[in-house]
């Protein structure tokens, strides 16, 4: 949490805010997302990318982990970007050596997107300490606590996805 966020949380408590622990948890979650967004922006800037490029890499890495074959159309849907914007993102990432366009072995007309090892190594060099620290922290939780964290974050993600669909 940034010093500013911590100060705002503390200030709210000192003013006798009637917000309960639920609201405090929401504000902490918001602080985490803001801080993570800042780290992503810093990573993008340090590596000659746009913020959308980093989001695209995350989507492609998540797809790879889930066994999803990512195409340009799929990526555009994930990013909420039109086909011209998606092509621009893919072109930038390909020029930087972070992704490759590869022909689908079963359907040669289809082009799949693959994250290159170089991008994975770059990501681990930057985000590895954050991931490792999170892993270490969670190792101190028992199974029921880990399940509660997973249920909470999955629920929030569902709420956010649902609110996006309603706008």
């Amino acid at each position: 949490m940034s010093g500013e966020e911590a100060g705002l949380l503390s200030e709210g408590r000192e003013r006798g805010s009637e917000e309960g622990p639920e609201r405090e948890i929401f504000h902490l979650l918001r602080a985490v997302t803001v801080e993570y967004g800042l780290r992503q922006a810093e990573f993008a800037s340090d590596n000659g990318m746009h913020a959308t490029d980093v989001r695209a890499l995350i989507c492609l890495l998540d797809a790879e982990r889930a066994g999803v074959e990512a195409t340009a159309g799929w990526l555009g849907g994930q990013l909420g970007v039109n086909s011209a914007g998606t092509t621009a993102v893919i072109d930038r990432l390909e020029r930087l050596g972070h992704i490759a366009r590869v022909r689908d072995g079963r359907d040669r007309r289809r082009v799949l997107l693959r994250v290159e090892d170089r991008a994975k190594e770059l990501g681990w060099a930057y985000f590895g300490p954050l991931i490792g620290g999170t892993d270490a922290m969670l190792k101190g939780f028992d199974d029921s606590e880990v399940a509660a964290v997973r249920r909470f974050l999955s629920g929030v993600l569902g709420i956010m996805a649902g609110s996006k669909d309603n706008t």
Side-chain angles (χ1 to χ4, degrees):
M1 173 183 330
S2 72
E4 184 177 325
E5 275 291 286
L8 290 173
L9 286 174
S10 176
E11 181 181 310
R13 279 191 223 109
E14 290 169 8
R15 284 193 318 238
S17 170
E18 297 198 22
E19 297 178 352
E22 298 84 3
R23 190 64 55 88
E24 181 181 3
I25 289 172
F26 176 82
H27 291 301
L28 286 168
L29 178 62
R30 185 186 63 202
V32 167
T33 60
V34 168
E35 193 66 29
Y36 190 70
L38 292 171
R39 296 302 134 250
Q40 286 180 296
E42 184 178 85
F43 175 79
S45 176
D46 289 352
N47 292 286
M49 291 187 275
H50 296 243
T52 305
D53 299 344
V54 177
R55 287 183 37 232
L57 284 171
I58 291 169
C59 288
L60 293 169
L61 289 166
D62 288 347
E64 182 180 297
R65 226 178 351 273
V68 171
E69 294 181 332
T71 62
W74 177 88
L75 181 60
Q78 297 299 301
L79 296 174
V81 176
N82 65 25
S83 61
T86 303
T87 299
V89 169
I90 292 168
D91 287 346
R92 280 193 306 269
L93 290 172
E94 190 174 41
R95 264 193 314 276
L96 289 168
H98 296 315
I99 66 167
R101 290 174 167 110
V102 295
R103 292 273 174 210
D104 184 338
R106 293 170 304 180
D107 181 352
R108 302 287 299 157
R109 297 169 295 177
R110 200 163 83 132
V111 176
L112 303 175
L113 303 173
R114 182 186 69 221
V115 178
E116 297 286 18
D117 288 342
R118 174 194 183 312
K120 294 174 186 177
E121 292 163 6
L122 194 63
W124 270 107
Y126 189 87
F127 292 103
L130 171 63
I131 295 167
T134 303
D135 288 349
M137 181 185 61
L138 284 170
K139 283 186 170 85
F141 287 35
D142 66 31
D143 290 346
S144 66
E145 290 171 318
V146 171
V149 170
R150 182 180 296 113
R151 189 173 70 246
F152 171 74
L153 292 174
S154 296
V156 171
L157 184 59
I159 291 167
M160 292 178 82
S163 70
K164 179 177 70 173
D165 294 338
N166 294 328
T167 56

